[in-house]
Amino acid sequence: MTIRLYGDKTINRIVSRLPAVRDAVKDHADQIGRRAEARLAAHRDAGATRVGVDHSGQIDSVVYLDDERGAKAALSIEFGHTDPRTGRHVEGLYVLYGAAGLL
């Protein structure tokens, strides 16, 4: 009887490509996307920002903020910014961080 041992990298590559694991990753990304959308909706004023979920990768999914005013606007919403009129710091909403349970 031959025993074959695989390293972590090989095992991760094998397991991450299993259909059940890929489906679970997509489901989890969709859940995070729904929670993020709810968090954003509670603060939305102009509606220029939306939450997106992308499953186009072979293995991973991505949940992101998209703002028609550009990437800096989405970044400012997530992490905060300095108001140019007053010079005061405006706290970020941490929409994605909170939805992913990272806070």
Side-chain angles (χ1 to χ4, degrees):
M1 176 173 172
T2 302
I3 297 175
R4 183 176 243 171
L5 300 176
Y6 295 100
D8 288 348
K9 190 173 184 177
T10 301
I11 294 297
N12 286 340
R13 189 177 309 118
I14 292 168
V15 171
S16 67
R17 286 166 172 78
L18 294 173
V21 172
R22 291 171 65 177
D23 290 343
V25 168
K26 287 179 182 178
D27 290 344
H28 192 65
D30 288 335
Q31 290 173 6
I32 292 171
R34 286 190 296 274
R35 288 193 300 263
E37 185 61 44
R39 291 174 66 92
L40 182 62
H43 296 281
R44 182 172 291 155
D45 57 354
T49 306
R50 71 175 190 85
V51 174
V53 181
D54 182 5
H55 301 297
S56 64
Q58 291 184 2
I59 298 171
D60 292 329
S61 294
V62 177
V63 182
Y64 60 92
L65 281 180
D66 185 26
D67 194 297
E68 61 189 33
R69 296 168 293 185
K72 286 185 180 180
L75 187 68
S76 295
I77 290 167
E78 182 71 9
F79 298 112
H81 62 280
T82 301
D83 186 326
R85 297 172 304 216
T86 65
R88 298 179 79 181
H89 178 71
V90 177
E91 282 293 320
L93 300 179
Y94 295 95
V95 172
L96 300 176
Y97 267 60
L102 298 174
L103 289 178

